[in-house]
Amino acid sequence: MLRNLRLNFFLLSFLILLAPLSSYAKKAPDSFARLAEALSPSVVNISTTTIIEDRKNNLPTFPPGSPFEEFFKQFQEPNQSKRRAQSLGSGFIIDKKGYIITNNHVIDNAEKIMVILHDDKSFEAEVVGKDPKTDVALLKINPKNTILKAVKFGNSNDLRVGDWVMAIGNPFGFGGTVTAGIVSARGRNIGGSYDDYIQTDASINRGNSGGPLFDMNGNVVGINTAIFSQSGGSVGIGFAVSSNLAKQVSDQLRKYGRTKRGWLGVLIQQITKEIADSLQLKNTNGALVSSATENGPAYKAGIKSGDIILKFNGIKIESMNELPKVVASTPVGESVKVEIWREGKIKTLTVILGELELAENNNLINNNPKKGKTKSFPRIGFEIKQLDDQDIQKYKIKEYTKGIIISKVKKNSKAFKSGLREGMIIVRVGQAEVSDLSIISNAIEKAKKQKR
């Protein structure tokens, strides 16, 4: 009797433990056939034609420094031959009026874009707008008497790792190909400032680019964009632009013909454990401000070099990579609260966002400084100078065009062993923005006195 009671109690406890798990788990679909049949008419094949110029020179070549080199340069007129190159990609219809989304790299520099529907009807498309930063492009066709079937965007934030997803596209020119898998990861960054990729193991190959990634409700949760592969074929690591980001960009392209991103006007860096320790921070959350663009939105609001942005518009900034995406998705001209940490205290400032594209066009993001003298620190083993145009060209500097550059580093010196190298730019020392050589000199002298 007692044994049976113990056994029953054990089984009851086991069932109670299983109950919460079963409420979260979703049954794997028996088949994707109905979903594929319903969604395939909304997926299109995209064929592009690009003109490529081959430059050939029939004149002889000479070794550098040859007396004939300069003589023959005046006669060099390279022969130009043009050839047409065709490529294939995918896309999907988001409006019955003929609006189609694809990847920017699918149609970039194309002379002619043809959209082929599931029933082999083809239409020439025009580019409404494109955004290289997120690799999203919006096309428009005139469907005439053809009835188009559009799909809807889903909320990619609702996706969970392990959820089933389905991809439809045009891999290697085989149109209407369906593959399925699960969400392997979310929020992947593969090199861009605004990356928000869904990682999936659904097979994605060449030609799938621009095609949709669907959830099990038939909503678009991503645009299949890239794969990680050493062979060029699918190895189960594919990336899709999240639908929330794609919808935001496509809405702007449709309305303005271009993107309008929010602009804060700061250069930021990741907070490492070493930086956190030096600033007496409890964790590495937030984005450290290296500098604020003069007369930019952050500068006008009072944000300074050395500030740590903890929250933007009420959104907690866990790491540096999150801030550009949050700022970009905020409407231009909006007044937002920015919570910062400065000298051990939390402050809240109000920033009126500018427009990133206007700032880029007006060269407001990178301001070139004036030339300065050099300063050497022989005991530490390096030399610095104020950054100028010559340095920018020499070291191919694109972002940090303001500050002090390391012009020399003595091998096996303290500076070398600490990781300093020629061409590196010093934009901040401690919490002080570096705009002059004296700031670094004073910081080093202060550290010597404090035996740091």
Side-chain angles (χ1 to χ4, degrees):
M1 180 77 175
L2 183 61
R3 182 181 177 186
N4 289 337
L5 285 172
R6 287 177 178 173
L7 181 60
N8 290 335
F9 177 76
F10 172 76
L11 288 172
L12 181 62
S13 302
F14 182 71
L15 289 171
I16 290 171
L17 287 171
L18 279 181
L21 293 175
S22 62
S23 65
Y24 284 104
K26 289 184 179 180
K27 185 181 177 182
D30 296 327
S31 172
F32 294 91
R34 286 187 180 180
L35 205 58
E37 186 179 1
L39 298 173
S40 290
S42 303
V43 182
V44 302
N45 297 338
I46 295 177
S47 174
T48 62
T49 304
T50 308
I51 303 298
I52 297 177
E53 292 185 359
D54 292 329
R55 291 175 174 266
K56 296 180 180 179
N57 200 326
N58 295 326
L59 294 176
T61 57
F62 301 94
S66 169
F68 296 102
E69 185 179 20
E70 291 297 323
F71 175 75
F72 276 101
K73 269 185 181 179
Q74 59 184 311
F75 301 108
Q76 287 181 350
E77 291 182 5
N79 296 326
Q80 294 183 6
S81 61
K82 296 182 179 180
R83 60 185 176 91
R84 293 178 183 273
Q86 289 193 323
S87 60
L88 298 171
S90 306
F92 55 98
I93 303 165
I94 60 166
D95 192 303
K96 293 179 180 180
K97 294 179 181 179
Y99 287 97
I100 294 165
I101 286 184
T102 186
N103 282 140
N104 175 65
H105 76 260
V106 170
I107 55 90
D108 196 31
N109 298 321
E111 183 188 54
K112 189 176 182 180
I113 304 169
M114 296 299 298
V115 170
I116 302 98
L117 304 183
H118 73 291
D119 58 2
D120 291 332
K121 289 183 180 179
S122 62
F123 301 88
E124 187 168 354
E126 63 173 331
V127 179
V128 177
K130 54 186 181 178
D131 179 37
K133 287 185 173 69
T134 56
D135 201 9
V136 174
L138 183 65
L139 308 179
K140 175 72 168 65
I141 63 172
N142 182 4
K144 299 178 183 177
N145 297 324
T146 303
I147 298 175
L148 302 179
K149 187 175 181 181
V151 287
K152 295 180 180 180
F153 281 111
N155 186 352
S156 53
N157 287 341
D158 290 341
L159 281 179
R160 297 180 303 168
V161 174
D163 280 348
W164 283 98
V165 285
M166 184 179 75
I168 305 179
N170 182 32
F172 303 110
F174 296 107
T177 299
V178 179
T179 56
I182 63 169
V183 174
S184 303
R186 283 184 50 197
R188 287 293 197 211
N189 186 301
I190 57 176
S193 299
Y194 310 103
D195 286 2
D196 184 18
Y197 286 102
I198 299 163
Q199 184 183 325
T200 176
D201 65 351
S203 292
I204 297 172
N205 288 286
R206 296 179 188 274
N208 270 114
S209 291
L213 186 71
F214 293 104
D215 63 16
M216 292 300 98
N217 295 318
N219 295 318
V220 177
V221 290
I223 305 175
N224 300 319
T225 300
I227 60 172
F228 175 82
S229 174
Q230 294 176 327
S231 63
S234 176
V235 294
I237 301 179
F239 299 98
V241 178
S242 69
S243 60
N244 287 8
L245 178 60
K247 186 180 186 305
Q248 175 196 325
V249 171
S250 62
D251 285 348
Q252 290 185 353
L253 294 178
R254 187 169 178 174
K255 188 175 182 179
Y256 307 111
R258 64 179 182 87
T259 54
K260 284 190 175 184
R261 291 186 173 89
W263 177 55
L264 185 58
V266 290
L267 288 175
I268 56 174
Q269 68 183 79
Q270 188 72 44
I271 300 175
T272 62
K273 188 178 183 302
E274 290 76 17
I275 291 175
D277 290 342
S278 68
L279 299 178
Q280 298 179 342
L281 295 171
K282 294 180 180 178
N283 53 53
T284 58
N285 293 345
L288 179 62
V289 177
S290 296
S291 64
T293 303
E294 191 173 350
N295 294 321
Y299 181 91
K300 291 178 180 178
I303 294 176
K304 302 177 181 179
S305 172
D307 288 346
I308 295 172
I309 298 175
L310 301 174
K311 286 184 180 179
F312 180 88
N313 204 19
I315 300 171
K316 190 175 180 180
I317 306 301
E318 299 286 351
S319 67
M320 176 197 74
N321 294 331
E322 294 178 9
L323 184 62
K325 290 184 283 189
V326 173
V327 172
S329 63
T330 307
V332 174
E334 188 164 313
S335 178
V336 298
K337 299 291 183 183
V338 180
E339 186 179 288
I340 64 168
W341 186 94
R342 180 189 294 170
E343 297 177 354
K345 296 179 181 179
I346 292 178
K347 293 186 176 183
T348 301
L349 303 173
T350 302
V351 180
I352 299 175
L353 286 190
E355 184 183 325
L356 177 65
E357 288 76 8
L358 287 179
E360 289 176 336
N361 292 337
N362 294 328
N363 296 319
L364 297 178
I365 294 178
N366 295 328
N367 296 319
N368 295 338
K370 297 178 181 179
K371 290 185 178 181
K373 298 178 181 179
T374 60
K375 177 72 177 177
S376 180
F377 302 94
R379 288 183 62 185
I380 304 174
F382 76 110
E383 183 182 274
I384 56 175
K385 67 186 289 282
Q386 194 156 14
L387 188 64
D388 56 30
D389 292 339
Q390 189 175 353
D391 296 320
I392 291 170
Q393 292 178 0
K394 180 180 178 182
Y395 298 104
K396 298 179 180 179
I397 299 166
K398 294 181 179 179
E399 292 185 10
Y400 292 87
T401 56
K402 186 178 181 181
I404 303 299
I405 191 166
I406 298 175
S407 52
K408 289 181 184 178
V409 180
K410 187 178 179 181
K411 200 169 183 180
N412 296 324
S413 63
K414 291 180 180 179
F416 186 88
K417 291 177 181 178
S418 297
L420 298 184
R421 297 292 185 270
E422 180 184 340
M424 285 184 173
I425 298 169
I426 304 173
V427 292
R428 192 177 53 81
V429 174
Q431 288 184 278
E433 184 177 356
V434 175
S435 57
D436 189 83
L437 300 177
S438 61
I439 294 175
I440 299 176
S441 299
N442 294 338
I444 291 175
E445 288 300 320
K446 186 178 179 180
K448 284 180 181 178
K449 292 178 181 179
Q450 295 175 351
K451 296 181 179 180
R452 289 167 52 199

